[in-house]
Structure formats: C-alpha cells, structure tokens
Amino acid sequence: MTIEKLRDAFDEMIVFKDLKKNNFIAAFKLPSFMRDWVLKRFQDERGELDIEATTNFIRTFIPKKDDWKSIKNRVINCNERVKFLSKIAIDIDIKTQALSFALPDFDLKFQDTMISLDVWSRIGDALLKAEENWGIVELGYQPPSGTKTGKIKLLDFKDFRPYIVDLEEFKYARESFTLDEWIDLLLGAIDYNAAGYESRQQKLSMISRLLPFVEKRLNMIELAPKGTGKSYLFGSFSRYGWLSSGGTMSRARMFYDLARRKEGLVFGRDYVALDEVQTINFSDVDEMRGVLKGYMENGKYTVGSHEGSADAGIVLLGNISAGRMNEYINMFGELPSVFHESALLDRFHGFLKGWNIPRMNDDLKICGWALNSEYFATIMHELRDDPIFRVLVDELIEVPERADTRDTEAIKRLSTAFLKLLFPHVKSVDEISRDEFQTYCLNPAMEMRTIIKLQLNILDPDEFGGKPVPALSVKEIGR
C-alpha cells in the first residue's frame, strides 16, 4: 500500500510513525493519541521529525505529575498564567450555579477551582463535548477575599484536536482498499506493522481486540501469554477507555460512589478493561457480582437510591499459562471469585484466544505512514452510535427456532462490531457478499461465543451442560 493511496484516501489524517527510531518520545510516556498529535505537529511532508522542537514542546506543554507543585507555585505565588496540555473535567453546581473544573491527572479537585461566567461563555461548548476533554488549558489564580478561599481559575481552553472527524468520509475511504489492505491499515492505525505477522488470522486476532472500541457494552474476556500488548492497546490507544491494573476494585469506584455522589469508571467511557484481572481484589464480592450482572445485561445499575446507566463494555484481561490454553478445560479457575458464577460469565459476549496473537517484538512495531491514532480512536468512538450496522446484521443472520436469546444477542453484537471494523462502507445487505460476512463477521463471532459456552458447560454442567451455541447462519439471497 503506497503513501499516495493513503494520502488520497485520508489526506491530513496520516502521520509517519517510527516506533523503533522515536524512542525518545516513548521516554515521555505519552499515550498513542497524544503522541501522534505531537508527531503531526513537528513533521514535514516527508515524515522527518524536528526532534529538538518536539522535545522542547513536550517539556513545556506536557508536564508530568511530578511537575504539578512547580505549576501551582507559578500560578499561586508568582501570579503567572500557565498553559499546558491536560485532561479536564467540568462541574456545574446545581444549588449555586458555580462552575468548576478538575484535572484528574494532577489530582486537582473541583472544590479548589473556578470558571468565571465570561470565560465559560467562550469555551463552555468545547468543555461540554465529553465527560472529560483533552486540550491546552491556561490557568491563573483567584486570591482569597474575605470569607472566600483562594482558587485556581481556568482562563482558557483549546481542544487539542486540530481537525474535524467526518465518519462518512472514513466510510467512503474504505471503498478504495481491498480487505487485506484495510486490515493492514487498521494495524498501522494502532501502531503495529502488518508485515510482522505470519498470517491473516494473526492479524484478525489482533484486530479483534478492537471490538469493544466500536460496539456499546460489548463484554469480552481475553486470556493471553505475557507480552502480547494487551495493556498497551487498552491503556494507551484511546482516550475514551479506561484500563485498571491490579489493586482493589469496589462498587463505588466502578459504578457510583454514594458518599461522594460521583459516577464511577463505567460512566462516560467506551470500555473499562481490568488488566491482570487475577491480581484484582474486589472489596465485596456479592455486592460487585450483583451490580455487574444487572449492568452487563442492560447497561443500568442501582447503588442505594441512585439509578445510573452507561455504555462502557467490561473487558477482562489476564495472563494464561501454556498448559491452560485450551477452551475444553477450565480456563477461568484463576479468575477472581466474583467471576466464578455462571450467571455472570454468561453475560460476557465473547472470548478472545490471546495465544493466537504473537508476543511483541521489534518487527511488529510500525515504521511507516499510517492513520493518526487519535483520529482512528475517535472514528471508532463515533461508530458506536451508528445504528445501520446492527440493522444489516439483523437482516443478514438467520436465527433457528428456540435459539437461546443471550447466545443470539452475543453473536449479533460481535458480528456487528466486526462489520464496523472491516466493512464500514457497507450501507445495505447488497453491498457485502454473503461469503465475506460469513467468514469475517459471523464465523469469528460464533467462535468467540462458543468458547464462553464451553466454559459455562464446565463451570455449571447442570445448567449449561449439553447446550451448544445455536447454529446461526447467513440468510440466502432473496429471503
């Protein structure tokens, strides 16, 4: 695939990535979406990077958490106006109408900040785009006066995305590529070198990790050997998801904190991935299991008197030994006890065999022109709201009589996600061949759901023993 073809299809949305050469950027630990934004800013048309300018920009405008005390000193004691790139959330107090903001990465809380009405009139729309936004913030200080305490104030905000994402243009661009070219393009967008994979199946297994990025409330389990890049993709690629590694997970943190009246991790995010899930402790197993079952079924949760809803998928990521890489034996024995109940496991739509994904090596790191990661992550986020794909899946799939509803729904949701990723340009059932839909959407969805069903048969043979996944098929043309 040539640079000319990429440029014709995506114009300014491509960037030259060299993850082997640009190790100096890795030292700053930038997430992929922010890294590509910086690369694009300081690259020329040939992809050559101005390293000195890039380094100076990162040090000036992308501070580390350790720099926060220095920033506070400049703002409060030196009366400086300080600009830097940050994630920001806003709050509107119902009782007082007071406007405030938080910088989650620096532990700056709402109660210590303010936004004046004149500033809000200029930047409010940009700050209301999402639960949390990324951009250049400019901070100042409002000194204490009378009984009022001092507060850090927001003076300005500029969304860091330098372009408008057009989902229809992305769909149209897909028409210019063969399926194999498109698969390679998707891998480049998430920082992987397609030439480093041994087979198309390996590539498709890697792309399957993106299913929760494009489909609302898609719940998945992936067990894989160490070093296959699970944490990198779910933790660094998209600003719309959340990766939680180890430690303790409570109902308050995941769903709603009654004491603080604060929504949890699932709210406003595309997915919540629990990495190294074997090491996570759940503060109250029965409490967490109960709320998870309700949420994973219908997207709603009740905590005390609070009723909430969200669209984040729940993704379990764990390491597995070579001896357990077999769907016909119990693979879930090492999962936390909260997931040992069959009724909860049944709510996971699919299982990804992570052992089909090669261990990360230098040959798998992208070196070449590829889609801007931030752009592609935003495209996937917007695909979640596009209903046409599920309509097409319903039209394409034949469901046998008395098929289990949960199995059928899981397979259809997985098929819908595959359709969004691999064939986003399709607008009617006549625009995709039945063979391609069967091979690249329905078959992998059936396999992913079948593994969940096999594990349920092992875990709870009285309830699930002998119950196979229903044989969904592709409808014949004209039916």
Side-chain angles (χ1 to χ4, degrees), residues 290-309:
V291 71
L292 272 172
K293 282 194 290 188
Y295 174 73
M296 292 171 69
E297 185 72 19
N298 55 35
K300 298 178 180 178
Y301 50 92
T302 301
V303 179
S305 60
H306 176 80
E307 295 182 358
S309 63

Side-chain angles (χ1 to χ4, degrees), residues 88 113 220 377:
I88 183 171
T113 68
M220 276 179 34

